Amino acid sequence: MIKNAYLNRVYEELALRNAHEPEYLQAVKEVLESIQPLVEKHPEYEKADLIERLVEPERIITFRVPWVDDSGNVHVNRGYRVQFNSAIGPYKGGLRFHPSVNQSILKFLGFEQVFKNSLTTLPMGGGKGGSDFDPKGKSDMEVMRFCQSFMTELYRHIGQFVDCPAGDIGVGAREVGYMFGQYRRLTNSYQGGMMTGKGLTYGGSLARKQATGYGLCYFTAEALKCMRNDSFAGKKVVISGSGNVAIYAAEKAAQLGGTVITMSDSAGYVYDPNGIDLDYVKDLKEVRRGRISEYTTSHPDATYVADCRKVWETPCDIALPCATQNEIDAESAKALVKGGCTVVCEGANMPSTAEAISVYLENGILYGPAKASNAGGVATSGLEMSQNSERLSWTFEEVDSKLQEIMKGIFHASYDASVEAGSTGNLMVGANCAGFLKVATAMMEQGICY
Ligand code: NDP
Protein backbone atom coordinates (compact mmCIF):
# COMPACT_ATOMS: atom_id res chain seq x y z
CA MET A 1 0.00 0.00 0.00
CA ILE A 2 1.19 3.52 -0.77
CA LYS A 3 0.74 5.43 2.50
CA ASN A 4 2.90 8.47 1.75
CA ALA A 5 0.60 11.30 0.57
CA TYR A 6 2.96 12.60 -2.13
CA LEU A 7 3.60 9.16 -3.64
CA ASN A 8 -0.07 8.30 -3.43
CA ARG A 9 -1.01 11.48 -5.33
CA VAL A 10 1.57 10.78 -8.03
CA TYR A 11 0.35 7.20 -8.40
CA GLU A 12 -3.35 8.15 -8.52
CA GLU A 13 -2.68 10.72 -11.25
CA LEU A 14 -0.57 8.24 -13.18
CA ALA A 15 -3.28 5.58 -12.90
CA LEU A 16 -5.85 8.00 -14.30
CA ARG A 17 -3.64 9.00 -17.24
CA ASN A 18 -2.53 5.45 -18.03
CA ALA A 19 -5.59 3.42 -17.10
CA HIS A 20 -5.10 1.20 -20.15
CA GLU A 21 -1.53 0.22 -19.17
CA PRO A 22 -1.87 -2.39 -16.37
CA GLU A 23 1.65 -3.85 -16.54
CA TYR A 24 3.18 -0.38 -16.37
CA LEU A 25 1.06 0.61 -13.36
CA GLN A 26 1.93 -2.69 -11.64
CA ALA A 27 5.66 -2.01 -12.00
CA VAL A 28 5.39 1.61 -10.80
CA LYS A 29 3.21 0.74 -7.81
CA GLU A 30 5.72 -1.82 -6.55
CA VAL A 31 8.57 0.70 -6.70
CA LEU A 32 6.61 3.56 -5.11
CA GLU A 33 5.51 1.29 -2.25
CA SER A 34 9.10 0.30 -1.60
CA ILE A 35 10.72 3.75 -1.68
CA GLN A 36 8.40 5.40 0.86
CA PRO A 37 11.04 5.61 3.62
CA LEU A 38 13.47 7.31 1.22
CA VAL A 39 10.93 9.84 0.01
CA GLU A 40 10.03 10.68 3.58
CA LYS A 41 13.70 11.17 4.39
CA HIS A 42 14.19 13.49 1.38
CA PRO A 43 11.46 16.16 1.27
CA GLU A 44 13.44 17.90 -1.49
CA TYR A 45 12.24 15.21 -3.92
CA GLU A 46 8.67 16.44 -3.68
CA LYS A 47 9.73 20.09 -4.15
CA ALA A 48 11.52 19.08 -7.36
CA ASP A 49 8.61 16.92 -8.62
CA LEU A 50 11.17 14.15 -8.81
CA ILE A 51 8.75 11.24 -8.76
CA GLU A 52 6.49 12.82 -11.40
CA ARG A 53 9.56 13.06 -13.64
CA LEU A 54 10.78 9.57 -12.77
CA VAL A 55 7.54 7.86 -13.83
CA GLU A 56 7.27 9.68 -17.16
CA PRO A 57 9.49 8.29 -19.95
CA GLU A 58 11.84 10.90 -21.42
CA ARG A 59 10.70 9.86 -24.90
CA ILE A 60 8.61 7.19 -26.65
CA ILE A 61 9.10 6.53 -30.34
CA THR A 62 6.47 4.52 -32.25
CA PHE A 63 6.88 3.64 -35.88
CA ARG A 64 5.61 1.57 -38.80
CA VAL A 65 7.61 -1.52 -39.82
CA PRO A 66 6.62 -2.77 -43.26
CA TRP A 67 8.21 -5.99 -44.55
CA VAL A 68 7.74 -8.54 -47.31
CA ASP A 69 7.38 -12.30 -46.70
CA ASP A 70 8.83 -15.07 -48.87
CA SER A 71 5.66 -15.22 -50.98
CA GLY A 72 5.80 -11.51 -51.77
CA ASN A 73 3.00 -10.50 -49.37
CA VAL A 74 3.43 -7.20 -47.52
CA HIS A 75 2.98 -7.05 -43.73
CA VAL A 76 3.01 -4.11 -41.34
CA ASN A 77 4.03 -4.34 -37.69
CA ARG A 78 4.41 -1.67 -35.06
CA GLY A 79 7.84 -0.77 -33.70
CA TYR A 80 8.65 1.02 -30.42
CA ARG A 81 11.50 2.41 -28.41
CA VAL A 82 10.83 3.69 -24.90
CA GLN A 83 13.74 5.91 -23.80
CA PHE A 84 12.92 6.01 -20.14
CA ASN A 85 15.70 7.65 -18.17
CA SER A 86 19.23 8.73 -19.13
CA ALA A 87 20.31 10.37 -15.85
CA ILE A 88 23.16 7.92 -15.22
CA GLY A 89 24.08 6.90 -18.78
CA PRO A 90 22.81 6.28 -22.32
CA TYR A 91 19.49 4.43 -22.48
CA LYS A 92 20.13 0.70 -22.37
CA GLY A 93 17.70 -2.21 -22.56
CA GLY A 94 16.59 -4.97 -24.87
CA LEU A 95 14.34 -5.25 -27.89
CA ARG A 96 11.44 -7.72 -27.65
CA PHE A 97 9.78 -9.27 -30.70
CA HIS A 98 6.57 -10.99 -29.61
CA PRO A 99 2.91 -10.65 -30.65
CA SER A 100 1.99 -9.50 -27.11
CA VAL A 101 4.25 -6.42 -27.27
CA ASN A 102 2.46 -3.12 -26.63
CA GLN A 103 3.25 0.22 -25.03
CA SER A 104 2.26 -0.88 -21.52
CA ILE A 105 4.63 -3.85 -21.58
CA LEU A 106 7.52 -1.81 -22.96
CA LYS A 107 6.95 0.99 -20.44
CA PHE A 108 7.00 -1.48 -17.55
CA LEU A 109 10.16 -3.07 -18.92
CA GLY A 110 11.82 0.31 -19.50
CA PHE A 111 10.89 1.52 -16.00
CA GLU A 112 12.27 -1.64 -14.36
CA GLN A 113 15.40 -1.33 -16.47
CA VAL A 114 16.20 2.10 -14.99
CA PHE A 115 16.62 0.65 -11.48
CA LYS A 116 18.17 -2.61 -12.62
CA ASN A 117 20.87 -0.80 -14.56
CA SER A 118 21.51 1.44 -11.58
CA LEU A 119 22.02 -1.65 -9.38
CA THR A 120 24.73 -3.00 -11.69
CA THR A 121 26.89 0.03 -10.70
CA LEU A 122 27.64 0.59 -14.42
CA PRO A 123 26.82 3.90 -16.18
CA MET A 124 23.67 2.89 -18.06
CA GLY A 125 20.29 4.57 -18.23
CA GLY A 126 17.10 2.61 -18.89
CA GLY A 127 15.10 1.91 -22.04
CA LYS A 128 13.28 -0.87 -23.84
CA GLY A 129 11.81 -1.45 -27.26
CA GLY A 130 10.54 -3.98 -29.72
CA SER A 131 7.68 -4.93 -31.95
CA ASP A 132 4.54 -7.07 -32.10
CA PHE A 133 6.29 -9.08 -34.84
CA ASP A 134 6.39 -12.85 -34.18
CA PRO A 135 9.65 -14.46 -35.38
CA LYS A 136 8.20 -17.94 -34.72
CA GLY A 137 7.59 -19.85 -37.95
CA LYS A 138 9.32 -17.20 -40.10
CA SER A 139 12.21 -18.06 -42.40
CA ASP A 140 15.67 -16.57 -41.83
CA MET A 141 15.15 -14.29 -44.85
CA GLU A 142 11.82 -13.03 -43.48
CA VAL A 143 13.40 -12.33 -40.10
CA MET A 144 16.26 -10.53 -41.86
CA ARG A 145 13.92 -8.34 -43.90
CA PHE A 146 11.90 -7.49 -40.80
CA CYS A 147 15.03 -6.61 -38.77
CA GLN A 148 16.37 -4.43 -41.58
CA SER A 149 13.08 -2.57 -41.87
CA PHE A 150 12.87 -2.13 -38.08
CA MET A 151 16.39 -0.68 -37.96
CA THR A 152 15.74 1.57 -40.96
CA GLU A 153 13.61 3.71 -38.64
CA LEU A 154 15.22 2.98 -35.27
CA TYR A 155 18.77 3.88 -36.35
CA ARG A 156 18.12 7.65 -36.22
CA HIS A 157 17.20 7.45 -32.52
CA ILE A 158 20.07 5.32 -31.18
CA GLY A 159 23.89 5.27 -31.04
CA GLN A 160 26.72 4.35 -28.71
CA PHE A 161 26.35 7.57 -26.66
CA VAL A 162 22.56 7.83 -27.01
CA ASP A 163 20.74 4.54 -26.72
CA CYS A 164 22.17 1.02 -26.91
CA PRO A 165 19.65 -1.79 -27.43
CA ALA A 166 20.21 -5.53 -26.88
CA GLY A 167 18.13 -8.74 -27.13
CA ASP A 168 15.11 -9.93 -25.16
CA ILE A 169 12.25 -12.33 -25.93
CA GLY A 170 12.39 -13.24 -29.62
CA VAL A 171 15.62 -11.31 -30.20
CA GLY A 172 18.79 -13.41 -30.05
CA ALA A 173 22.12 -13.44 -31.86
CA ARG A 174 20.49 -13.83 -35.30
CA GLU A 175 18.27 -10.78 -34.93
CA VAL A 176 20.99 -8.66 -33.28
CA GLY A 177 23.30 -9.51 -36.20
CA TYR A 178 20.79 -8.42 -38.83
CA MET A 179 20.02 -5.19 -36.98
CA PHE A 180 23.67 -4.35 -36.30
CA GLY A 181 24.50 -4.93 -39.98
CA GLN A 182 21.72 -2.62 -41.10
CA TYR A 183 22.76 0.11 -38.62
CA ARG A 184 26.33 -0.06 -39.91
CA ARG A 185 25.14 0.20 -43.50
CA LEU A 186 22.79 3.14 -42.83
CA THR A 187 25.23 5.19 -40.76
CA ASN A 188 28.48 4.20 -42.44
CA SER A 189 29.99 3.89 -38.97
CA TYR A 190 31.14 0.99 -36.83
CA GLN A 191 29.82 1.71 -33.35
CA GLY A 192 30.51 -1.49 -31.41
CA GLY A 193 28.82 -0.31 -28.22
CA MET A 194 25.67 0.79 -30.05
CA MET A 195 24.22 -2.70 -29.61
CA THR A 196 25.06 -5.62 -27.33
CA GLY A 197 24.57 -9.37 -27.56
CA LYS A 198 26.58 -9.21 -30.78
CA GLY A 199 28.26 -12.23 -32.37
CA LEU A 200 31.80 -12.98 -31.22
CA THR A 201 33.28 -12.16 -34.65
CA TYR A 202 32.14 -8.53 -34.59
CA GLY A 203 32.49 -7.23 -31.04
CA GLY A 204 30.35 -9.51 -28.91
CA SER A 205 31.50 -10.52 -25.45
CA LEU A 206 32.27 -14.01 -24.29
CA ALA A 207 29.79 -15.03 -21.55
CA ARG A 208 27.10 -12.55 -22.68
CA LYS A 209 24.93 -15.41 -23.93
CA GLN A 210 25.18 -17.15 -20.56
CA ALA A 211 25.09 -13.99 -18.43
CA THR A 212 21.45 -13.57 -17.42
CA GLY A 213 20.98 -17.22 -16.47
CA TYR A 214 24.39 -17.60 -14.82
CA GLY A 215 23.93 -14.27 -13.04
CA LEU A 216 20.56 -15.38 -11.71
CA CYS A 217 22.20 -18.44 -10.14
CA TYR A 218 25.12 -16.42 -8.74
CA PHE A 219 22.61 -14.09 -7.09
CA THR A 220 20.54 -17.01 -5.76
CA ALA A 221 23.63 -18.80 -4.46
CA GLU A 222 24.83 -15.68 -2.60
CA ALA A 223 21.36 -15.12 -1.11
CA LEU A 224 21.15 -18.77 -0.05
CA LYS A 225 24.61 -18.58 1.54
CA CYS A 226 24.08 -15.32 3.41
CA MET A 227 20.42 -15.63 4.39
CA ARG A 228 20.07 -19.39 4.85
CA ASN A 229 23.60 -20.73 5.22
CA ASP A 230 22.66 -23.05 2.35
CA SER A 231 23.43 -23.73 -1.34
CA PHE A 232 22.08 -25.27 -4.57
CA ALA A 233 23.61 -28.64 -3.66
CA GLY A 234 21.01 -31.41 -3.64
CA LYS A 235 18.11 -29.06 -4.42
CA LYS A 236 15.31 -29.77 -6.90
CA VAL A 237 14.97 -26.78 -9.21
CA VAL A 238 11.89 -25.90 -11.26
CA ILE A 239 12.57 -23.62 -14.22
CA SER A 240 10.03 -22.12 -16.65
CA GLY A 241 10.88 -21.10 -20.19
CA SER A 242 13.40 -22.72 -22.52
CA GLY A 243 14.90 -19.64 -24.09
CA ASN A 244 18.19 -17.86 -23.48
CA VAL A 245 17.68 -17.11 -19.79
CA ALA A 246 16.15 -20.48 -18.90
CA ILE A 247 18.82 -22.57 -20.67
CA TYR A 248 21.78 -20.89 -18.96
CA ALA A 249 20.05 -20.71 -15.58
CA ALA A 250 19.54 -24.46 -15.88
CA GLU A 251 23.18 -24.99 -16.85
CA LYS A 252 24.56 -23.04 -13.89
CA ALA A 253 22.03 -24.45 -11.38
CA ALA A 254 23.16 -27.95 -12.38
CA GLN A 255 26.86 -26.96 -12.16
CA LEU A 256 26.22 -25.69 -8.63
CA GLY A 257 24.77 -29.06 -7.58
CA GLY A 258 21.03 -28.63 -8.21
CA THR A 259 18.83 -30.95 -10.28
CA VAL A 260 16.71 -29.08 -12.81
CA ILE A 261 13.51 -31.06 -13.28
CA THR A 262 11.33 -28.86 -15.54
CA MET A 263 11.50 -26.52 -18.52
CA SER A 264 8.63 -25.03 -20.53
CA ASP A 265 7.51 -22.89 -23.43
CA SER A 266 4.25 -21.08 -23.99
CA ALA A 267 2.50 -24.34 -24.98
CA GLY A 268 3.46 -26.55 -22.03
CA TYR A 269 6.19 -27.96 -19.82
CA VAL A 270 8.31 -31.09 -19.49
CA TYR A 271 9.13 -32.82 -16.22
CA ASP A 272 12.20 -35.05 -16.17
CA PRO A 273 12.86 -36.69 -12.77
CA ASN A 274 16.40 -37.57 -13.93
CA GLY A 275 17.29 -33.94 -14.51
CA ILE A 276 16.75 -32.05 -17.77
CA ASP A 277 19.11 -33.08 -20.60
CA LEU A 278 20.46 -29.64 -21.47
CA ASP A 279 22.50 -30.66 -24.50
CA TYR A 280 19.25 -31.83 -26.04
CA VAL A 281 17.38 -28.62 -25.10
CA LYS A 282 20.18 -26.41 -26.49
CA ASP A 283 20.05 -28.23 -29.82
CA LEU A 284 16.24 -28.18 -29.84
CA LYS A 285 15.91 -24.49 -29.05
CA GLU A 286 19.12 -22.83 -30.25
CA VAL A 287 19.63 -24.80 -33.46
CA ARG A 288 16.38 -26.46 -34.55
CA ARG A 289 14.04 -23.81 -33.01
CA GLY A 290 11.63 -26.61 -32.01
CA ARG A 291 9.00 -27.00 -29.28
CA ILE A 292 9.66 -28.34 -25.78
CA SER A 293 7.00 -31.05 -26.30
CA GLU A 294 9.51 -32.84 -28.58
CA TYR A 295 11.68 -33.60 -25.50
CA THR A 296 9.63 -36.66 -24.52
CA THR A 297 10.20 -38.42 -27.86
CA SER A 298 13.81 -39.15 -26.89
CA HIS A 299 13.46 -39.09 -23.08
CA PRO A 300 11.05 -41.87 -22.07
CA ASP A 301 11.09 -41.05 -18.32
CA ALA A 302 9.98 -37.46 -18.98
CA THR A 303 6.36 -36.31 -19.13
CA TYR A 304 4.84 -33.40 -21.06
CA VAL A 305 1.89 -31.33 -19.82
CA ALA A 306 0.22 -29.07 -22.37
CA ASP A 307 -0.33 -26.20 -19.92
CA CYS A 308 2.70 -24.09 -19.02
CA ARG A 309 1.02 -22.59 -15.92
CA LYS A 310 0.89 -26.01 -14.25
CA VAL A 311 4.68 -26.14 -14.05
CA TRP A 312 4.46 -24.47 -10.62
CA GLU A 313 2.59 -27.48 -9.22
CA THR A 314 5.80 -29.54 -9.47
CA PRO A 315 7.22 -30.12 -5.95
CA CYS A 316 10.64 -28.44 -5.66
CA ASP A 317 13.04 -26.56 -3.39
CA ILE A 318 13.88 -23.65 -5.69
CA ALA A 319 11.82 -22.00 -8.47
CA LEU A 320 13.44 -19.87 -11.16
CA PRO A 321 10.75 -18.32 -13.41
CA CYS A 322 12.52 -17.51 -16.71
CA ALA A 323 9.73 -17.09 -19.29
CA THR A 324 7.64 -13.92 -19.12
CA GLN A 325 5.75 -11.34 -17.03
CA ASN A 326 2.98 -12.40 -14.63
CA GLU A 327 3.55 -16.09 -15.21
CA ILE A 328 3.07 -16.77 -11.47
CA ASP A 329 -0.20 -15.60 -9.92
CA ALA A 330 -1.39 -16.14 -6.33
CA GLU A 331 -2.70 -19.60 -7.12
CA SER A 332 0.60 -20.70 -8.67
CA ALA A 333 2.51 -19.17 -5.74
CA LYS A 334 0.38 -21.17 -3.31
CA ALA A 335 1.06 -24.31 -5.37
CA LEU A 336 4.80 -23.63 -5.03
CA VAL A 337 4.49 -23.27 -1.25
CA LYS A 338 2.43 -26.46 -1.08
CA GLY A 339 5.10 -28.30 -3.08
CA GLY A 340 7.81 -27.37 -0.58
CA CYS A 341 9.46 -24.52 -2.47
CA THR A 342 11.35 -22.09 -0.21
CA VAL A 343 13.23 -19.95 -2.76
CA VAL A 344 11.92 -18.00 -5.76
CA CYS A 345 14.44 -15.95 -7.74
CA GLU A 346 13.30 -14.29 -10.95
CA GLY A 347 15.05 -14.66 -14.31
CA ALA A 348 12.19 -13.19 -16.33
CA ASN A 349 11.08 -9.59 -15.85
CA MET A 350 8.16 -9.22 -13.37
CA PRO A 351 7.15 -12.90 -13.60
CA SER A 352 5.26 -12.71 -10.29
CA THR A 353 2.03 -10.77 -9.82
CA ALA A 354 1.75 -8.50 -6.75
CA GLU A 355 -0.53 -11.12 -5.17
CA ALA A 356 2.03 -13.87 -5.79
CA ILE A 357 4.73 -11.77 -4.10
CA SER A 358 2.46 -11.38 -1.06
CA VAL A 359 2.15 -15.18 -0.89
CA TYR A 360 5.96 -15.50 -0.98
CA LEU A 361 6.44 -12.96 1.79
CA GLU A 362 3.66 -14.39 4.00
CA ASN A 363 5.24 -17.85 3.72
CA GLY A 364 8.84 -16.86 4.39
CA ILE A 365 10.03 -17.65 0.87
CA LEU A 366 13.43 -16.20 0.00
CA TYR A 367 12.36 -13.94 -2.84
CA GLY A 368 14.86 -12.49 -5.34
CA PRO A 369 13.15 -9.79 -7.44
CA ALA A 370 13.94 -9.59 -11.16
CA LYS A 371 15.55 -6.19 -11.19
CA ALA A 372 18.23 -7.55 -8.87
CA SER A 373 18.40 -11.24 -9.71
CA ASN A 374 18.35 -11.00 -13.52
CA ALA A 375 20.62 -7.95 -13.83
CA GLY A 376 23.54 -10.13 -14.96
CA GLY A 377 22.49 -9.86 -18.61
CA VAL A 378 22.57 -6.11 -18.80
CA ALA A 379 25.64 -5.97 -16.55
CA THR A 380 27.52 -8.12 -19.06
CA SER A 381 26.16 -5.97 -21.88
CA GLY A 382 27.85 -3.10 -20.02
CA LEU A 383 31.06 -5.16 -19.96
CA GLU A 384 30.65 -5.78 -23.72
CA MET A 385 30.49 -2.00 -24.22
CA SER A 386 33.64 -1.56 -22.10
CA GLN A 387 35.50 -4.06 -24.29
CA ASN A 388 34.25 -2.33 -27.45
CA SER A 389 35.51 1.04 -26.14
CA GLU A 390 38.88 -0.46 -25.25
CA ARG A 391 39.08 -2.30 -28.62
CA LEU A 392 39.92 -5.42 -26.59
CA SER A 393 38.28 -8.78 -25.85
CA TRP A 394 38.41 -10.32 -22.41
CA THR A 395 38.51 -14.08 -21.78
CA PHE A 396 35.39 -15.98 -20.73
CA GLU A 397 36.88 -16.36 -17.24
CA GLU A 398 37.52 -12.61 -16.89
CA VAL A 399 33.97 -11.70 -17.89
CA ASP A 400 32.46 -14.47 -15.78
CA SER A 401 34.42 -13.45 -12.70
CA LYS A 402 33.35 -9.80 -13.10
CA LEU A 403 29.75 -11.02 -13.49
CA GLN A 404 30.03 -13.02 -10.26
CA GLU A 405 31.34 -10.00 -8.37
CA ILE A 406 28.57 -7.77 -9.77
CA MET A 407 25.82 -10.25 -8.80
CA LYS A 408 27.21 -10.67 -5.29
CA GLY A 409 27.41 -6.88 -5.04
CA ILE A 410 23.78 -6.52 -6.14
CA PHE A 411 22.66 -9.01 -3.50
CA HIS A 412 24.54 -7.18 -0.75
CA ALA A 413 23.38 -3.72 -1.91
CA SER A 414 19.77 -4.98 -1.91
CA TYR A 415 20.11 -6.69 1.46
CA ASP A 416 21.78 -3.67 3.09
CA ALA A 417 19.17 -1.31 1.66
CA SER A 418 16.41 -3.57 3.03
CA VAL A 419 17.92 -3.18 6.50
CA GLU A 420 18.20 0.60 6.05
CA ALA A 421 14.53 0.75 4.95
CA GLY A 422 13.39 -1.16 8.05
CA SER A 423 12.42 -4.29 6.03
CA THR A 424 15.36 -6.57 6.78
CA GLY A 425 15.66 -9.39 4.25
CA ASN A 426 12.95 -8.07 1.92
CA LEU A 427 15.10 -7.96 -1.21
CA MET A 428 12.31 -6.39 -3.29
CA VAL A 429 12.21 -3.34 -1.03
CA GLY A 430 16.01 -3.30 -0.86
CA ALA A 431 16.55 -3.55 -4.63
CA ASN A 432 13.99 -0.84 -5.32
CA CYS A 433 15.53 1.51 -2.74
CA ALA A 434 19.14 0.93 -3.78
CA GLY A 435 18.36 1.25 -7.49
CA PHE A 436 16.23 4.35 -6.97
CA LEU A 437 18.63 6.28 -4.74
CA LYS A 438 21.42 6.52 -7.31
CA VAL A 439 19.09 7.64 -10.10
CA ALA A 440 17.32 10.12 -7.81
CA THR A 441 20.60 11.64 -6.70
CA ALA A 442 21.80 11.96 -10.30
CA MET A 443 18.53 13.60 -11.35
CA MET A 444 18.64 16.06 -8.43
CA GLU A 445 22.25 17.01 -9.17
CA GLN A 446 21.54 17.61 -12.86
CA GLY A 447 18.68 20.08 -12.31
CA ILE A 448 15.27 20.07 -13.90
CA CYS A 449 16.36 19.44 -17.48
CA TYR A 450 14.21 16.35 -17.77
P1 NDP B 1 13.63 -16.11 -25.30
O1 NDP B 1 12.85 -15.59 -26.43
O2 NDP B 1 14.97 -16.69 -25.54
O3 NDP B 1 12.78 -17.21 -24.51
C1 NDP B 1 11.53 -16.92 -23.97
C2 NDP B 1 10.95 -18.18 -23.35
O4 NDP B 1 9.78 -17.82 -22.62
C3 NDP B 1 10.52 -19.18 -24.39
O5 NDP B 1 10.62 -20.46 -23.86
C4 NDP B 1 9.06 -18.80 -24.61
O6 NDP B 1 8.24 -19.84 -25.13
C5 NDP B 1 8.64 -18.45 -23.22
N1 NDP B 1 7.52 -17.50 -23.28
C6 NDP B 1 7.49 -16.31 -23.93
N2 NDP B 1 6.29 -15.73 -23.80
C7 NDP B 1 5.56 -16.57 -23.04
C8 NDP B 1 4.23 -16.54 -22.55
N3 NDP B 1 3.42 -15.50 -22.81
N4 NDP B 1 3.83 -17.57 -21.77
C9 NDP B 1 4.67 -18.63 -21.50
N5 NDP B 1 5.94 -18.70 -21.95
C10 NDP B 1 6.36 -17.70 -22.71
O7 NDP B 1 13.71 -14.91 -24.24
P2 NDP B 1 14.72 -14.71 -23.03
O8 NDP B 1 15.09 -16.00 -22.44
O9 NDP B 1 15.77 -13.78 -23.48
O10 NDP B 1 13.80 -13.89 -22.01
C11 NDP B 1 13.01 -14.53 -21.01
C12 NDP B 1 12.67 -13.53 -19.92
O11 NDP B 1 13.88 -13.03 -19.34
C13 NDP B 1 11.90 -12.27 -20.37
O12 NDP B 1 11.04 -11.87 -19.33
C14 NDP B 1 13.01 -11.25 -20.56
O13 NDP B 1 12.51 -9.93 -20.46
C15 NDP B 1 13.90 -11.62 -19.40
N6 NDP B 1 15.28 -11.15 -19.48
C16 NDP B 1 16.08 -11.49 -20.55
C17 NDP B 1 17.38 -11.08 -20.59
C18 NDP B 1 18.33 -11.53 -21.65
O14 NDP B 1 19.53 -11.25 -21.51
N7 NDP B 1 17.91 -12.22 -22.68
C19 NDP B 1 17.93 -10.18 -19.56
C20 NDP B 1 17.04 -9.95 -18.44
C21 NDP B 1 15.77 -10.41 -18.45
P3 NDP B 1 7.74 -19.79 -26.65
O15 NDP B 1 8.92 -20.20 -27.47
O16 NDP B 1 6.61 -20.74 -26.71
O17 NDP B 1 7.32 -18.36 -26.92
Side-chain angles (χ1 to χ4, degrees), residues 195-403:
M195 198 159 197
T196 57
K198 298 184 294 295
L200 295 177
T201 55
Y202 59 95
S205 173
L206 287 163
R208 173 61 187 90
K209 181 170 74 170
Q210 292 82 357
T212 309
Y214 277 24
L216 169 64
C217 293
Y218 295 145
F219 179 95
T220 308
E222 188 70 6
L224 272 168
K225 186 175 97 181
C226 299
M227 293 173 72
R228 294 268 173 84
N229 193 24
D230 205 344
S231 75
F232 268 98
K235 302 288 189 301
K236 283 199 170 57
V237 184
V238 158
I239 291 185
S240 65
S242 49
N244 172 263
V245 179
I247 287 174
Y248 292 96
E251 183 165 277
K252 186 51 72 179
Q255 285 172 8
L256 294 174
T259 304
V260 177
I261 51 175
T262 67
M263 289 189 92
S264 68
D265 57 27
S266 52
Y269 76 94
V270 286
Y271 165 68
D272 188 341
N274 305 322
I276 293 282
D277 173 357
L278 257 190
D279 288 340
Y280 177 88
V281 175
K282 280 187 192 173
D283 180 60
L284 175 72
K285 289 289 177 179
E286 295 183 337
V287 182
R288 293 190 278 130
R289 298 182 191 272
R291 308 301 295 159
I292 203 73
S293 56
E294 293 168 47
Y295 186 92
T296 49
T297 55
S298 49
H299 297 80
D301 291 342
T303 46
Y304 175 71
V305 177
D307 180 352
C308 60
R309 291 209 161 240
K310 291 232 173 344
V311 68
W312 311 117
E313 292 174 12
T314 314
C316 66
D317 304 298
I318 299 174
L320 304 176
C322 295
T324 195
Q325 65 275 353
N326 292 330
E327 57 175 308
I328 306 183
D329 57 12
E331 200 188 323
S332 302
K334 283 179 195 156
L336 280 170
V337 172
K338 195 170 161 212
C341 176
T342 59
V343 179
V344 178
C345 286
E346 299 177 332
N349 283 308
M350 205 169 75
S352 311
T353 64
E355 296 74 27
I357 296 170
S358 300
V359 173
Y360 304 154
L361 299 179
E362 281 156 16
N363 287 279
I365 281 189
L366 194 174
Y367 169 53
K371 61 173 77 67
S373 55
N374 77 15
V378 74
T380 308
S381 277
L383 300 178
E384 182 173 329
M385 292 164 80
S386 304
Q387 293 169 76
N388 296 147
S389 298
E390 281 188 340
R391 304 281 196 266
L392 290 173
S393 302
W394 305 339
T395 62
F396 188 98
E397 289 68 29
E398 273 177 283
V399 181
D400 188 44
S401 97
K402 285 187 169 59
L403 171 64

Side-chain angles (χ1 to χ4, degrees), residues 170-214:
V171 178
R174 174 181 62 170
E175 291 76 14
V176 168
Y178 293 150
M179 287 189 274
F180 185 80
Q182 183 72 350
Y183 182 89
R184 191 167 56 75
R185 182 183 182 197
L186 289 166
T187 59
N188 192 31
S189 71
Y190 203 105
Q191 296 183 33
M194 176 279 298
M195 198 159 197
T196 57
K198 298 184 294 295
L200 295 177
T201 55
Y202 59 95
S205 173
L206 287 163
R208 173 61 187 90
K209 181 170 74 170
Q210 292 82 357
T212 309
Y214 277 24

Side-chain angles (χ1 to χ4, degrees), residues 61 83 110 118 125 135 150 190 204-205 241 272 300 316 328 355 418 427 447-448:
I61 301 140
Q83 298 182 330
S118 162
F150 183 85
Y190 203 105
S205 173
D272 188 341
C316 66
I328 306 183
E355 296 74 27
S418 78
L427 300 175
I448 302 171

Side-chain angles (χ1 to χ4, degrees), residues 23-35 38 54-55 84 88 92 107-122 124-126 128 168 211-212 215-216 219-220 245 321 325 344-354 357 360 367-380 403 406-415 417 426-439:
E23 294 86 359
Y24 175 54
L25 294 176
Q26 180 185 341
V28 171
K29 193 170 189 196
E30 182 204 291
V31 170
L32 298 196
E33 281 173 355
S34 296
I35 61 172
L38 287 174
L54 190 80
V55 297
F84 219 109
I88 64 170
K92 175 103 199 105
K107 279 172 73 180
F108 114 65
L109 288 164
F111 184 72
E112 294 271 297
Q113 197 81 46
V114 173
F115 308 102
K116 181 190 307 194
N117 292 2
S118 162
L119 283 170
T120 66
T121 71
L122 303 175
M124 300 181 291
K128 202 83 187 188
D168 191 75
T212 309
L216 169 64
F219 179 95
T220 308
V245 179
Q325 65 275 353
V344 178
C345 286
E346 299 177 332
N349 283 308
M350 205 169 75
S352 311
T353 64
I357 296 170
Y360 304 154
Y367 169 53
K371 61 173 77 67
S373 55
N374 77 15
V378 74
T380 308
L403 171 64
I406 289 172
M407 296 314 296
K408 284 183 191 168
I410 292 174
F411 166 74
H412 288 285
S414 303
Y415 186 86
N426 184 330
L427 300 175
M428 172 181 72
V429 168
N432 284 331
C433 286
F436 164 78
L437 196 55
K438 180 175 169 187
V439 178

Side-chain angles (χ1 to χ4, degrees), residues 83-96:
Q83 298 182 330
F84 219 109
N85 192 306
S86 60
I88 64 170
Y91 312 104
K92 175 103 199 105
L95 296 170
R96 176 177 292 191

